[in-house]
């Protein structure tokens, strides 16, 4: 392996990790507010199909991304109403959302399978992209990748340094205490869930507009599940999610790279990864002492009903 | 049933096949991908449409797309048989065992399975000589590569794919003794995301001509983005990569589907192992890109003509495998039965066949 190849592999890892980064950033905010949404895959697929249709119909890529974000938020709003208002079980509702989104997206997109659009062209950032190695790896991507950099930085700042971040954490750690000091717990949770939906929609749009500029049924191929595992991997710290996303991105292209170099690893083993990780998430959510260690929001997955306060 | 065939007999006496028109032949198709894949399943569906066009209301066709290879396939094939189809085409290698199983339960239905090797009383098989197309692809790729490295995106390590990999490499080697080939398996027939990753991984490693044994145009799109070259698979994929596209090897199924439907109508059908290629025009070369050098264009045409006339048979010995064993004796050309069992890589391919 020479330096050029390593640069290419890292470049590809960032591209592959970007949809994971978007969706995991959304999920971590959602989980920090204490809500577990397993509907990532469904929201992402809906975002992918609606984003594709909007961009295909209008010829405007930006419009495609906005439509995907809106669609993701609408999907998550359905989820939010069910779990926050009606008090439905979060795990079951999230799974239902995934199945619903998978089916509906296939139905909506059926007539558009195989159509292609001209995806985003990469933009090399002046000066920065001239830095040897690093410039090629980090600063010669398309605009959505830069947007993911920006969102990561923004969220690190907001969560750790601002009043909004504090409010979010208070709601996720102890909703009753937050309620007592006058924070509108449900409103914070609604907004967090919908932010998660918008990011999942963006991740979907990245798949159908940038990564492979076409729509195919089930094209997200389990990335929503990987994102759930990523949040645990990052122990709910926003900055670490970026690292995790690129690591998972690297893992998912590495077996292809190694095959080309003449190695052989069973791709079936790698295909299992997201599901193993999902099981892990469920275990951790079930066990309280794990949560302490991993800094999971203490009220994660637990419903909050202000009227039940004694 | 007897009364019906009596009527048919009378009808035939009265005037050819007029009586058949009243009772259309029902034909079902099972596709592994979406008809919109613009590759393998898309071409089978064009074949189905060609069948309808040819026979008009004497046939009635239905299809089920996106059928996973496995237990689900058995359910879908059973459903088609139960729905009264007289003839069912199952169009992917992985439908082999389900087809044989269902055929046993519906002895009056005729089944035709693409690319498999198991037959029975009511199951015939049909195979494309895709290796003929690969030989043309390999020849052109060998001439076009500047890095002396061509890439092959494989689906599953089944005999058809192994055969085609060998054919591609032997052809490339015949025009470029220094050529190397990198092979990447994506374990899917249709996964544009995976195919893009594989294409990029290959191009990162110096591959400048891509050949794909998967069905989406994603590798062509990836090659176009990087200013490199690729060859279209199963259907004419020129629209996806105006610059990168060299030519497409197209599957043209309708002549076969028409022949089989005719045989079933006339009750002359028998289970056969059909192999179709350039000479039957079941396989064709489409849309040779005008931007190719003249010498390459000429070589594509002459290689195509030589295979079509039977003058060039890609698997003619002496051929050694990559472990040094003589697998095809000098002067011998592999028979169809032997072609179906190719499970070695030719000399010069440095990989191992995954299991």
């Amino acid at each position: 392996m020479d330096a050029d190849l390593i640069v290419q592999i890292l470049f590809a890892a960032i591209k592959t990790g970007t949809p994971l980064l978007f969706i995991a950033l959304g999920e971590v905010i959602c989980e920090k507010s204490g809500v577990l949404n397993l509907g990532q895959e469904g929201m992402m697929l809906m975002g992918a199909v609606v984003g594709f249709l909007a961009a295909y119909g209008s010829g405007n890529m930006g419009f495609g991304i906005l439509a995907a974000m809106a669609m993701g938020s609408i999907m998550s709003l359905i989820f939010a109403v069910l779990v926050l208002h009606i008090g439905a079980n979060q795990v079951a509702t999230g799974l239902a959302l995934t199945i619903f989104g998978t089916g509906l997206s296939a139905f909506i997109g059926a007539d558009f399978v195989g159509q292609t659009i001209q995806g985003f062209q990469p933009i090399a950032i002046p000066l920065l992209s001239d830095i040897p190695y690093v410039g090629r790896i980090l600063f010669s991507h398309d605009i959505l990748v830069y947007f993911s950099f920006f969102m990561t930085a923004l969220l690190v700042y907001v969560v750790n340094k601002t009043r909004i971040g504090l409010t979010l954490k208070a709601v996720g750690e102890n909703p009753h205490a937050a309620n007592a000091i006058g924070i509108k717990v449900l409103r914070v949770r609604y907004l967090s869930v919908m932010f998660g939906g918008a990011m999942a929609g963006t991740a979907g749009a990245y798949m159908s507009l940038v990564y492979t500029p076409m729509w195919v049924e089930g094209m997200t191929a389990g990335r929503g599940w990987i994102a759930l595992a990523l949040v645990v991997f990052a122990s709910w710290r926003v900055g670490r999610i970026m690292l995790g996303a690129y690591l998972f991105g690297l893992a998912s292209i590495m077996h292809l790279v190694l095959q080309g170099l003449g190695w052989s690893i069973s791709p079936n083993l790698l295909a299992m990864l997201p599901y193993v990780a999902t099981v892990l998430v469920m275990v951790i959510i079930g066990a309280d002492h794990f949560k302490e260690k991993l800094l999971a929001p203490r009220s994660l997955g637990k419903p909050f009903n202000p009227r039940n306060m004694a | 049933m007897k009364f019906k065939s009596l009527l048919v007999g009378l009808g035939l006496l009265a005037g050819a096949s007029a009586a058949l028109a009243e009772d259309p032949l029902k034909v079902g198709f099972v596709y592994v991908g979406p008809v919109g894949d613009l590759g393998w399943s898309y071409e089978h569906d064009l074949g189905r449409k060609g069948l309808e066009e040819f026979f008009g209301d004497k046939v009635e066709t239905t299809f089920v797309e996106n059928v996973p290879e496995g237990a689900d396939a058995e359910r879908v094939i059973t459903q088609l048989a139960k729905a009264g189809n007289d003839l069912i085409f199952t169009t992917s290698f992985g439908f082999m065992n389900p087809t044989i199983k269902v055929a046993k339960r519906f002895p009056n239905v005729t089944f035709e399975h693409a690319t498999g090797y198991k037959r029975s009383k009511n199951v015939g098989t049909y195979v494309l000589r895709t290796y003929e197309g690969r030989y043309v692809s390999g020849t052109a790729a060998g001439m076009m590569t500047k890095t002396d490295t061509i890439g092959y995106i494989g689906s599953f390590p089944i005999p058809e794919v192994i055969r085609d990999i060998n054919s591609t490499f032997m052809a490339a080697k015949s025009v470029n003794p220094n050529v190397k080939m990198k092979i990447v398996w994506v374990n899917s027939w249709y996964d544009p995301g995976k195919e893009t990753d594989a294409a990029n991984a290959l191009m990162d490693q110096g591959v400048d001509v891509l050949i794909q044994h998967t069905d989406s145009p994603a590798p062509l799109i990836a090659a176009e983005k990087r200013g490199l070259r690729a060859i279209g698979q199963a259907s004419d994929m020129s629209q996806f990569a105006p610059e990168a596209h060299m030519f497409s090897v197209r599957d043209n199924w309708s002549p076969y589907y028409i022949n089989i439907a005719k045989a079933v109508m006339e009750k002359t059908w028998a289970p056969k192992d059909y192999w179709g290629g350039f000479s039957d025009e079941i396989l064709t070369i489409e849309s040779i890109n005008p931007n190719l050098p003249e010498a390459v264009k000429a070589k594509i045409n002459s290689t195509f003509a030589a295979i079509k006339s039977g003058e060039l048979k890609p698997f003619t010995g002496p051929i050694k495998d990559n472990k040094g064993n003589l697998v095809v004796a000098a002067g011998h050309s592999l028979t169809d039965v032997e072609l179906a069992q190719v499970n070695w890589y030719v000399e010069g391919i440095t990989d191992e066949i995954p299991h």
Side-chain angles (χ1 to χ4, degrees):
Chain A
M1 271 207 239
D2 52 33
D4 251 8
L5 181 60
I6 293 170
V7 167
Q8 301 270 31
I9 291 172
L10 293 178
F11 175 80
I14 289 187
K15 266 187 86 108
T16 319
T18 297
L20 299 174
L21 178 57
F22 275 125
I23 193 162
L25 284 178
E27 179 68 14
V28 77
I29 296 302
C30 183
E31 289 189 16
K32 274 205 173 291
S33 81
V35 183
L36 177 73
N37 185 353
L38 296 184
Q40 303 294 338
E41 192 78 3
M43 298 189 294
M44 197 174 167
L45 278 167
M46 284 303 288
V49 72
V50 169
F52 182 81
L53 292 191
Y56 184 79
S58 69
N60 185 331
M61 300 287 285
F63 180 64
I65 290 168
L66 287 180
M69 281 182 167
M71 191 63 233
S73 311
I74 293 170
M75 288 290 285
S76 63
L77 186 61
I78 299 173
F79 171 83
V81 170
L82 288 173
V83 302
L84 297 179
H85 242 93
I86 302 172
N89 179 293
Q90 292 184 6
V91 171
T93 311
L95 288 173
L97 192 70
T98 283
I99 298 166
F100 172 65
T102 308
L104 187 63
S105 62
F107 174 73
I108 295 174
D111 290 341
F112 294 88
V113 173
Q115 306 287 351
T116 55
I117 46 175
Q118 189 66 42
F120 275 115
Q121 294 306 313
I123 305 164
I125 294 181
L127 296 177
L128 286 178
S129 63
D130 295 334
I131 306 170
Y133 304 121
V134 179
R136 171 88 185 103
I137 296 170
L138 290 177
F139 301 112
S140 45
H141 286 277
D142 51 79
I143 193 156
L144 274 183
V145 173
Y146 301 134
F147 180 58
S148 73
F149 293 169
F150 170 74
M151 284 309 288
T152 311
L154 181 72
L155 288 180
V156 167
Y157 174 74
V158 169
V159 169
N160 298 324
K161 300 272 184 244
T162 68
R163 205 182 159 77
I164 301 173
L166 217 54
T167 310
L168 182 71
K169 281 182 276 192
V171 167
E173 292 296 332
N174 192 339
H176 297 284
N179 186 56
I181 59 167
I183 295 173
K184 300 227 172 350
V185 172
L186 286 184
R187 183 188 291 172
V188 171
R189 287 191 169 175
Y190 261 107
L191 288 173
S192 306
V193 169
M194 286 178 70
F195 176 78
M199 293 306 274
T202 312
Y206 183 82
M207 292 302 297
S208 67
L209 297 180
V210 180
Y211 202 65
T212 42
M214 58 204 291
W215 160 252
V216 185
E217 194 182 320
M219 71 184 299
T220 53
R223 284 182 175 79
W225 301 116
I226 298 181
L228 282 164
L230 250 177
V231 174
V232 181
F233 170 89
S235 58
W236 290 267
R237 285 194 187 122
V238 181
R240 276 197 209 163
I241 283 185
M242 191 178 220
L243 178 73
Y246 297 151
L247 274 178
F248 273 73
L250 187 66
S252 70
I253 54 160
M254 215 44 205
H255 74 279
L256 297 171
V257 175
L258 291 178
Q259 281 187 50
L261 291 173
W263 296 33
S264 66
I265 299 182
S266 168
N268 300 331
L269 281 177
L270 285 161
M272 283 168 17
L273 203 65
Y275 308 101
V276 173
T278 312
V279 170
L280 215 67
V281 175
M282 301 321 280
V283 169
I284 288 165
I285 287 162
D288 276 341
H289 61 279
F290 258 131
K291 274 192 208 172
E292 303 282 331
K293 253 189 210 153
L294 284 167
L295 308 171
R298 227 158 289 165
S299 74
L300 183 58
K302 290 178 190 150
F304 170 75
N305 185 344
R307 277 157 300 210
N308 280 357
M309 303 261 303
Chain B
M1 197 62 207
K2 265 196 187 141
F3 180 62
K4 210 188 212 172
S5 35
L6 188 68
L7 277 182
V8 170
L10 285 173
L12 283 172
L13 274 178
S17 55
L20 283 171
E22 288 159 23
D23 194 7
L25 183 78
K26 289 182 80 176
V27 189
F29 290 83
V30 186
Y31 306 140
V32 69
V35 295
D37 68 357
L38 295 169
W40 177 258
S41 296
Y42 170 77
E43 284 295 339
H44 279 285
D45 202 52
L46 283 188
R48 179 187 67 82
K49 287 178 182 153
L51 183 69
E52 278 194 330
E53 215 166 89
F54 185 83
F55 286 106
D57 51 11
K58 280 193 276 180
V59 294
E60 200 182 300
T61 68
T62 45
F63 67 87
V64 187
E65 58 183 332
N66 254 329
V67 178
E69 298 178 327
D72 244 15
E74 193 179 327
R75 182 180 57 77
V76 170
I77 301 167
T78 307
Q79 254 173 10
L80 283 175
K82 272 194 178 155
N85 284 293
D86 309 291
L87 170 60
I88 296 171
F89 291 97
T90 54
T91 66
S92 188
F93 181 79
F95 299 153
M96 178 161 72
N97 291 331
T99 305
I100 296 286
K101 245 170 135 179
V102 178
K104 235 180 237 166
R105 281 187 277 133
F106 295 90
N108 295 323
V109 179
T110 304
F111 293 85
E112 281 274 331
H113 174 237
T115 72
Y117 52 81
K118 288 189 185 164
R119 283 165 294 279
S120 69
K121 267 203 331 277
N122 56 336
V123 182
T125 52
Y126 57 112
V127 180
L128 273 180
R129 298 186 188 279
T130 45
Y131 65 88
E132 296 184 345
R134 300 292 173 196
Y135 201 86
V136 179
S137 305
T139 307
M143 291 176 86
M144 285 301 289
T145 177
K146 294 189 185 84
T147 57
D148 288 336
T149 317
I150 61 177
Y152 199 102
I153 302 173
S155 44
F156 298 96
I158 58 172
E160 173 200 331
V161 182
I162 302 295
R163 194 161 65 227
D164 284 14
I165 287 174
N166 288 326
S167 181
T168 306
F169 187 70
M170 287 190 290
K173 196 114 195 176
S174 73
V175 292
N176 181 348
N178 298 324
V179 78
K180 286 186 293 292
M181 185 156 83
K182 289 186 183 281
I183 304 162
V184 165
W185 299 95
V186 294
N187 284 291
S188 169
W189 286 110
Y190 187 72
D191 182 342
K194 250 321 178 26
E195 290 170 58
T196 304
D197 290 343
N200 283 323
L202 284 168
M203 291 187 288
D204 287 346
Q205 293 176 26
V207 165
D208 61 351
V209 182
L210 285 173
I211 294 162
Q212 59 179 98
H213 211 131
T214 50
D215 300 338
S216 93
L220 278 150
I221 296 172
E224 180 86 5
K225 269 192 185 160
R226 293 171 69 154
L228 300 175
R229 307 300 298 232
I231 295 170
Q233 148 99 352
S235 71
D236 185 344
M237 293 183 170
S238 53
Q239 54 166 317
F240 299 106
E243 296 299 318
H245 179 260
M246 290 166 62
F247 59 87
S248 287
V249 182
R250 186 188 157 216
D251 314 339
N252 178 31
W253 300 103
S254 63
Y256 182 72
Y257 288 160
I258 291 167
N259 282 341
I260 290 296
K262 216 181 255 170
V264 171
M265 285 174 183
E266 291 166 355
K267 308 230 181 304
T268 57
W269 183 89
K272 288 199 188 91
D273 182 19
Y274 171 82
W275 287 64
F278 286 160
S279 61
D280 305 2
E281 286 169 11
I282 293 281
L283 199 66
T284 60
I285 299 285
E286 306 268 341
S287 297
I288 298 175
N289 199 327
N291 72 9
L292 289 174
E294 288 308 319
V296 176
K297 277 190 261 189
K299 188 73 179 171
I300 291 170
N301 285 321
S302 65
T303 310
F304 170 74
I307 294 174
K308 187 171 177 173
S309 68
E311 181 193 323
L312 171 62
K313 289 193 187 331
F315 285 91
T316 301
I319 299 174
K320 275 189 182 168
D321 70 10
N322 66 355
K323 295 188 178 71
N325 309 309
L326 187 71
V327 280
V328 185
H332 176 66
S333 294
L334 288 188
T335 62
D336 293 349
V337 174
E338 289 166 332
L339 279 171
Q341 293 160 356
V342 169
N343 61 353
W344 35 261
Y345 277 152
V346 291
E347 195 173 20
I349 297 180
T350 47
D351 275 335
E352 299 264 338
I353 299 174
H355 34 252

